[in-house]
Amino acid sequence: MEKGTVDMHGRAETIHRPLAPAGKPARRAMPVHVAIIMDGNGRWAQQRGLPRTEGHRAGVRALKTTVKAAARMGIRYLTVYAFSTENWHRPRLEVGALMSLLVETLERETPELRAEGVRIHGIGNVEGLPRPVRERLAWAEAETAGQTRLVLNLALNYGGRDELVRAVNRWRQAEGAEGRPLTEAVLARYLDTAGQPDPDLLIRASGEERLSNFLLWQLAYTEIYVTGTLWPDFGDADLERAVDAYMRRERRFGGIG
Ligand code: IPE
Ligand code: IPE
Ligand code: MG
């Protein structure tokens, strides 16, 4: 009997289903798109008696390591949550330090990222960012526009709900008046990630088990991997472990496998 057929009693027949050889579990392909919630910078600093901003600096170093590792591993899209629409609720000094760090990092790292074949793309409500950040981001995007090895989506002033509202409003302006109904495929074209595949794997550092308003549409069927590692301590080995765990998972998309 073939897999998926039913015997004379109406029971699913599984006896002749081919089994994976012992000790060699089936592996799926590498993830094409990995999303990361880079969390735990503050706790990392606190554990060392340092100001939270030092945690953010260490977080930038971890990001640089991770981008390089992702490119080496053949990941094609990396989307990192760097500043959420809710992060404005933090003390003014911390928000200011984060904005300065963004400007400084974009300025310093863009040439090397370009040399590594990385294309930088901002997602989120970019218009709501301070002008120096907006300008450096636009510059980094233009500088790296020709690169094709890895797309690095930097989520800045990003919120999943905000993105959906902006997408619907853009659609309404562009074609809503023509009276065509909005479909999933059409809406996807107005998201900040238009033209990109949805993330295969979401990694959250620091052990928190929530989405915190990240990529609400795109994560519909993404595999989730939570690690207790605080983001500044995240390195090549952590990325490899997450990818390895992903490759052992079975994705069913509502089917039966
Ligand atoms: C993530 O680290 C970085 C940003 C949100 C900008 P946190 O600053 O949230 O670190 P914890 O969660 O307080 O440890
Ligand atoms: C999510 O982390 C946002 C970023 C990593 C940029 P938060 O630290 O802001 O999330 P919550 O507040 O713990 O949910
Ligand atoms: Mg946090």
Side-chain angles (χ1 to χ4, degrees), residues 38-44 52 56 82-83 87 90 94 98:
M38 308 185 289
D39 198 12
N41 296 351
R43 278 162 283 171
W44 183 92
R52 291 179 58 87
H56 297 314
F83 192 87
N87 286 147
R90 295 188 176 201
E94 179 168 346
L98 279 165

Side-chain angles (χ1 to χ4, degrees), residues 61-89:
R61 292 194 289 274
L63 175 57
K64 192 174 171 183
T65 306
T66 303
V67 171
K68 287 186 177 180
R72 256 198 326 272
M73 289 167 75
I75 291 164
R76 305 303 304 274
Y77 299 86
L78 185 67
T79 301
V80 296
Y81 210 1
F83 192 87
S84 76
T85 47
E86 286 71 35
N87 286 147
W88 298 107
H89 299 138

